[in-house]
Amino acid sequence: MDKEKTITKIHISEVTEKARISVQATLENKKLELPTEYAVLNEKEQEEFTTKFGNKGIPIENIIQMWQNSVREVDFTGSVSKLDLIVVNDQGVFQWENIKIYKFTFSSGRAIHVVLPTLEEGYKYNRRRGVRINIDKVMDVEQDDIMYSVIVRDLSYCGVGFVEPLGSQIDPNREFILHLLEDTDDGEREVGKFFGRIINQKEDENGGVFSGCTISSDHAAFLQRYIATKQIEAIRGKSNQSGIKRIKTGEFWKEDIAEEISKSEEDDIEE
């Protein structure tokens, strides 16, 4: 039996530096998923971390610092209502809901963020629930060196939906390559080539056949960052209509968000 199908949950301590990690913030009716990285600790740092948090949390790189240049100009209206942790590893995709993120500074002066979940076990996460961006753009899908024109409707780091206007031509039982395009000031450019498979198909309401597909997990790390960047651009575009609110220090998304996602290491944390 496939090992991945038998595992429905994992403990937070099982998350390692090999996993692909992102934090999903829900801000009223907006969702923003920011990829981050597992913070690799040296022996002394690991000892300090274990003393403080035991096996109830994981260290991650400073998520705000990693995205500071992009996120600082985003106008988030309202406060964070929910933070979730998404982890992709060899066993599947797992989610920890309602996490807390604390800033922690080691005796050496190095600062990281620490994810502390409400529940220590994360549960299997349906990839189709991942954050998606709408595209509606004509692109090529390649199979056996033949190019098929499709209309890409939406994209996430683990899946893509597209329409074949002339009916089903792509073999749903074999892998394809999506040539992902985006518009720039200088015209179209190819973002990359991504391997995928068709999972289900249905008649599109506007004619043709709509295919829901998965994308190889080998592309997840790149696409997580790509999707997050596009989300930021989309929110920033909306913000431009009413003016962008800049953050004074540039260290946090916004003061009300900072209160939720970056609590001081002096805060009392239950161990």
Side-chain angles (χ1 to χ4, degrees):
M1 183 178 293
D2 187 351
K3 183 179 180 181
E4 181 174 330
K5 294 181 180 179
T6 65
I7 297 175
T8 59
K9 60 183 180 180
I10 62 173
H11 192 273
I12 190 67
S13 62
E14 296 179 65
V15 180
T16 70
E17 60 187 275
K18 295 181 180 180
R20 293 179 292 277
I21 302 169
S22 61
V23 173
Q24 181 174 285
T26 301
L27 305 100
E28 295 184 343
N29 62 339
K30 302 186 184 78
K31 279 190 177 182
L32 180 64
E33 187 170 331
L34 293 180
T36 184
E37 296 176 3
Y38 189 95
V40 179
L41 310 180
N42 61 35
E43 186 175 345
K44 189 174 188 307
E45 289 170 339
Q46 185 62 60
E47 184 178 339
E48 285 186 52
F49 186 86
T50 302
T51 299
K52 183 71 175 178
F53 304 104
N55 68 345
K56 297 180 180 180
I58 61 169
I60 62 174
E61 295 293 350
N62 189 318
I63 188 171
I64 305 305
Q65 183 176 330
M66 290 178 64
W67 287 88
Q68 178 177 328
N69 292 337
S70 295
V71 179
R72 65 182 299 177
E73 294 184 351
V74 177
D75 176 13
F76 290 106
T77 302
S79 60
V80 173
S81 60
K82 186 182 179 188
L83 283 173
D84 299 331
L85 175 70
I86 308 295
V87 171
V88 183
N89 62 19
D90 293 339
Q91 297 170 320
V93 184
F94 298 87
Q95 178 189 39
W96 284 259
E97 294 189 272
N98 298 310
I99 63 171
K100 296 292 184 182
I101 300 180
Y102 295 85
K103 182 180 179 182
F104 180 72
T105 304
F106 294 101
S107 59
S108 64
R110 179 189 178 189
I112 63 168
H113 278 115
V114 179
V115 173
L116 292 179
T118 304
L119 299 176
E120 294 173 26
E121 290 182 324
Y123 287 82
K124 208 64 171 289
Y125 181 68
N126 184 345
R127 290 171 181 254
R128 293 190 61 82
R129 291 171 56 198
V131 175
R132 291 174 175 262
I133 55 173
N134 296 323
I135 296 181
D136 285 328
K137 183 174 178 60
V138 176
M139 302 184 196
D140 286 333
V141 167
E142 179 181 352
Q143 194 175 67
D144 295 335
D145 297 324
I146 300 175
M147 295 292 190
Y148 301 94
S149 289
V150 303
I151 302 171
V152 175
R153 295 296 191 200
D154 54 56
L155 177 73
S156 73
Y157 66 83
C158 54
V160 63
F162 59 71
V163 173
E164 294 179 75
L166 302 179
S168 180
Q169 296 176 290
I170 300 168
D171 188 343
N173 298 312
R174 300 195 344 271
E175 194 172 59
F176 62 77
I177 302 173
L178 170 67
H179 293 252
L180 182 62
L181 300 177
E182 69 175 10
D183 294 321
T184 70
D185 292 339
D186 299 320
E188 287 184 339
R189 79 174 185 94
E190 183 170 284
V191 175
K193 301 175 183 179
F194 304 94
F195 292 88
R197 285 184 179 273
I198 294 174
I199 301 301
N200 55 66
Q201 293 183 308
K202 63 181 181 180
E203 295 295 321
D204 185 65
E205 58 183 11
N206 297 317
V209 174
F210 175 85
S211 295
C213 315
T214 59
I215 293 178
S216 170
S217 60
D218 292 340
H219 304 301
F222 175 87
L223 287 175
Q224 278 180 316
R225 288 183 172 273
Y226 181 78
I227 298 297
T229 300
K230 293 304 171 186
Q231 287 177 275
I232 290 169
E233 289 177 358
I235 296 174
R236 182 186 298 165
K238 295 177 182 178
S239 299
N240 284 339
Q241 297 174 10
S242 57
I244 295 174
K245 296 180 181 177
R246 294 183 177 272
I247 296 167
K248 295 178 181 178
T249 65
E251 184 180 3
F252 303 109
W253 295 352
K254 198 176 180 183
E255 290 178 358
D256 54 356
I257 296 175
E259 186 177 347
E260 292 291 334
I261 73 172
S262 188
K263 296 182 183 296
S264 169
E265 63 269 32
E266 282 94 21
D267 288 350
D268 292 330
I269 302 172
E270 293 185 3
E271 301 184 12

